[in-house]
Amino acid sequence: MTPPPSRKTAGVIGGGAWGTALAQVCARAGLKTTLWAREAEVVASINTSHENTSFLAGIDLDPTIGATGDLADLAGSDVVLAVAPAQHLRAALTAFAPHARDGLPILLCAKGVEQGSLKLMTEVLAETIPAAAPGVLSGPSFAGEVARGLPTAVTLACADEDCARDLAELIATPAFRPYFATDMIGAEAGGAVKNVLAIACGIVEGRGLGRSAHAALITRGFSELSRLAVALGGQAETVAGLCGLGDLVLTCSSPQSRNMSVGLALGRGQTLNEALADKLSVAEGVASAPAVRQLAKKLAVDVPICEATAAILAGEVGVDDAIRGLLSRPLREE
């Protein structure tokens, strides 16, 4: 695919599995792609062996992808994909801000709610690089599958429809299909809450509660996700799509999900420290859970599954007591 003549280069902030996979997407779309990573070993591995041995081992990367440890090397990019973990995004964007020109399209690819501020990633970008043109990329996508070129569909949202369409066309490949939208809040709210619900689904799976309970949790969890997204100003139609329901179904249905794997470990009786011990990649839901709980309380939105998950992660309640608490809630209309 040949990119429009006005945009030929892409920068990626974040050298984890998802950042590496998106760099692969950009390169396949015909963009000259530079990936910034904090870890010197990741930079060296990509530049010398065309593989991210730390976070995406075993997958051959496009040899045109260049890696760097200097954010200034992304200054000339026509589009930047910000893929640093949600709790580190502010620091990464603050460091990149001196190199970002006015109007630079920045696609936010991290999923979460910032602890302390309770802000979504678009709000973090507005505070750190206010002159940027923001966008949100979210949807059901495992990094390894995307990097290998397996078929994937996602939501790409910008406030301006033409901008969303242009960026979707820019990074699309035969196997990577962005659907464009204008509801950035809905797109990022879905991605933030689904990680918390994926931990809950992992707990259900790890406790052996059955497929019926698993399906019920996804469905009732989706109701919580939708209520919170709408309360934030998003649209119910948006979260009923790839960036909400689609992402929720994927993340809650496979141990490939870092968040679900944490829940599986908790459900099988491990402590949170034990569940996280061998994980290099970040499970965003662990950090987002307390922020989602606080945000829901601030907005007076009922999110019992997210609350119970946050309480388990905080050590405030045991798994079995949390499950009993959810099952003993008063009956209500669906």
Side-chain angles (χ1 to χ4, degrees):
M1 176 180 177
T2 302
S6 60
R7 291 182 181 165
K8 300 180 181 178
T9 60
V12 178
I13 299 176
W18 187 219
T20 304
L22 288 175
Q24 184 93 313
V25 167
C26 291
R28 286 180 178 143
L31 300 171
K32 181 181 178 182
T33 303
T34 303
L35 180 147
W36 173 86
R38 178 176 56 84
E39 303 86 354
E41 62 273 20
V42 170
V43 174
S45 176
I46 292 175
N47 286 335
T48 58
S49 63
H50 308 301
E51 180 185 0
N52 187 335
T53 54
S54 296
F55 297 104
L56 208 58
I59 295 179
D60 294 330
L61 301 178
D62 191 300
T64 65
I65 296 172
T68 181
D70 187 352
L71 282 167
D73 292 336
L74 274 58
S77 302
D78 295 313
V79 61
V80 166
L81 287 73
V83 204
Q87 305 309 322
H88 302 284
L89 185 66
R90 183 180 294 274
L93 291 177
T94 298
F96 178 61
H99 312 295
R101 70 180 185 282
D102 289 356
L104 172 66
I106 296 182
L107 275 178
L108 299 161
C109 308
K111 299 171 182 177
V113 177
E114 188 179 46
Q115 290 184 338
S117 72
L118 306 184
K119 292 186 176 178
L120 297 174
M121 301 301 99
T122 50
E123 296 174 289
V124 173
L125 176 60
E127 292 179 356
T128 53
I129 311 179
V136 175
L137 182 71
S138 185
S141 46
F142 283 148
E145 295 180 354
V146 172
R148 289 195 299 270
L150 298 180
T152 304
V154 296
T155 299
L156 195 160
C158 298
D160 179 78
E161 183 176 340
D162 289 337
C163 179
R165 186 191 303 268
D166 289 345
L167 290 175
E169 292 176 351
L170 185 72
I171 65 172
T173 72
F176 190 80
R177 184 177 177 83
Y179 285 77
F180 51 88
T182 57
D183 178 17
M184 289 193 294
I185 294 177
E188 60 181 334
V193 180
K194 64 94 185 180
N195 284 327
V196 182
L197 296 170
I199 294 173
C201 275
I203 292 171
V204 166
E205 191 79 10
R207 246 342 179 241
L209 300 182
R211 306 313 300 169
S212 299
H214 186 266
L217 193 146
I218 290 178
T219 307
R220 296 310 305 160
F222 178 65
S223 294
E224 294 186 15
L225 184 156
S226 300
R227 287 196 295 270
L228 188 57
V230 170
L232 286 165
Q235 300 170 12
E237 293 84 355
T238 304
V239 294
L242 291 164
C243 58
L245 181 59
D247 209 357
L248 179 67
V249 169
L250 177 70
T251 313
C252 291
S253 301
S254 172
Q256 285 188 62
S257 159
R258 295 187 295 271
N259 294 286
M260 186 177 180
S261 68
V262 169
L264 278 167
L266 294 173
R268 291 168 180 164
Q270 292 186 22
T271 67
L272 180 59
N273 286 337
E274 290 170 340
L276 296 175
D278 298 325
K279 289 180 170 55
L280 286 176
S281 297
V282 174
E284 295 273 27
V286 174
S288 288
V292 167
R293 175 164 65 165
Q294 293 169 31
L295 184 59
K297 183 177 180 180
K298 177 182 175 182
L299 297 172
V301 176
D302 188 31
V303 290
I305 297 171
C306 289
E307 287 181 1
T309 305
I312 291 171
L313 293 171
E316 299 168 3
V317 64
V319 167
D320 291 331
D321 285 341
I323 292 170
R324 279 192 290 270
L326 288 172
L327 292 176
S328 63
R329 283 167 54 83
L331 297 178
R332 50 166 290 179
E333 183 180 26
E334 187 172 23

